Amino acid sequence: MPSSPTTGSPAASWTCFPRCAITMRLNALQALRLLSRTANPADGRSSLLILTDTGAALVDEVIPAQLAFEDALLAEAPAWAVEALVDPLRALTSVWEQGRGN
């Protein structure tokens, strides 16, 4: 999530989740006081979303731990297996990005 306010639509495209799933997650984050919503002055219907200080601190804590976990998993895989995944994952990412208009 960016450090400036955004709407839920970009969050749906970043995560590839349907909007209803995003709404459920945003409600949960707001209930935990990790996310703040304000009315969007541009349209009066949508909300602007931004992480609270607590939410940003949690992201700062969790992301490095997640990356370390992923590095540990990859360290146990043979190099040939990891290398064999590079091109197929790039192709898959390209298809997803084209489908989302990126």
Side-chain angles (χ1 to χ4, degrees):
M1 173 110 16
S3 59
S4 59
T6 187
T7 63
S9 293
S13 68
W14 300 327
T15 61
C16 299
F17 290 134
R19 287 182 189 227
C20 61
I22 292 295
T23 299
M24 288 173 36
R25 285 164 176 81
L26 295 176
N27 288 343
L29 291 170
Q30 188 175 14
L32 293 169
R33 298 177 188 236
L34 300 174
L35 177 80
S36 175
R37 285 182 176 161
T38 57
N40 185 350
D43 66 14
R45 295 180 320 128
S46 64
S47 296
L48 294 177
L49 314 169
I50 192 159
L51 290 173
T52 63
D53 290 343
T54 303
L58 183 59
V59 167
D60 289 344
E61 177 185 336
V62 170
I63 295 296
Q66 178 64 31
L67 292 174
F69 176 71
E70 292 171 9
D71 286 344
L73 287 176
L74 289 172
E76 293 186 22
W80 63 265
V82 174
E83 290 169 15
L85 291 172
V86 172
D87 288 337
L89 288 174
R90 279 192 182 132
L92 185 58
T93 301
S94 177
V95 168
W96 282 338
E97 288 175 348
Q98 289 173 12
R100 292 185 353 223
N102 294 333

